[in-house]
Amino acid sequence: MVCWSRKDSSKRVVSKAELESHKKPEDLWIAIDNIVYDVSAFKRSHPGGPDVLIASGGRDATEAFTNAGHSEDAMKLKEKFKIGRLGVDGEKSSGPGSCPFDNWTSYVLIGVAVVGIAGIVVFHHRQHAKP
């Protein structure tokens, strides 16, 4: 299991089943060269029109993307929509809710660590303070 954030989409694993569940126009993911992209917000801006992306939604669109002869700018632009990599057969998805340290738990653990370290410093200082 891998913890991920949108800032580090290279660690997120998207299963084929999860990819296939995102094929609605308002929730549209595609895979190109085993990288998964959320193109929901881009479909209206797509130069080829939204139907091209909708037709590829929820599946591997590598062949369609390659055959369209996209420009270098398009190659760079798609990186803005990257959300993870497509998992190999049997590899489970990792994402929000799958990380053991999601949300508030991380903050609690950090808080406990800070208090613990502060306690050790104070204890050590009192043991070595001159009377």
Side-chain angles (χ1 to χ4, degrees), residues 2-13 82-85 94:
V2 177
C3 296
W4 73 280
S5 71
R6 290 205 182 266
K7 291 179 185 174
D8 189 10
S9 59
S10 64
K11 292 183 180 178
R12 175 154 189 210
V13 176
K82 180 179 174 181
I83 58 170
R85 70 173 176 81
S94 65

Side-chain angles (χ1 to χ4, degrees), residues 4-130:
W4 73 280
S5 71
R6 290 205 182 266
K7 291 179 185 174
D8 189 10
S9 59
S10 64
K11 292 183 180 178
R12 175 154 189 210
V13 176
V14 177
S15 70
K16 186 175 180 185
E18 183 179 10
L19 173 64
E20 290 170 351
S21 72
H22 294 275
K23 57 186 173 188
K24 298 176 184 153
E26 66 278 1
D27 181 24
L28 195 61
W29 293 7
I30 60 173
I32 301 169
D33 294 323
N34 294 319
I35 303 297
V36 179
Y37 302 90
D38 181 348
V39 294
S40 306
F42 178 66
K43 69 182 174 299
R44 292 184 194 253
S45 304
H46 186 262
D51 293 339
V52 174
L53 293 176
I54 293 169
S56 296
R59 62 185 184 87
D60 187 336
T62 303
E63 186 175 345
F65 185 84
T66 304
N67 291 342
H70 285 91
S71 67
E72 197 62 37
D73 288 340
M75 301 295 267
K76 292 176 186 173
L77 178 64
K78 72 179 166 99
E79 294 307 308
K80 293 170 71 173
F81 304 101
K82 180 179 174 181
I83 58 170
R85 70 173 176 81
L86 191 60
V88 295
D89 289 339
E91 190 173 14
K92 294 182 179 177
S93 292
S94 65
S98 64
C99 179
F101 302 112
D102 269 348
N103 303 326
W104 65 272
T105 309
S106 297
Y107 298 108
V108 170
L109 290 174
I110 291 169
V112 167
V114 167
V115 169
I117 292 169
I120 291 169
V121 169
V122 168
F123 177 78
H124 181 72
H125 179 67
R126 287 185 178 169
Q127 291 293 330
H128 293 82
K130 293 182 180 178

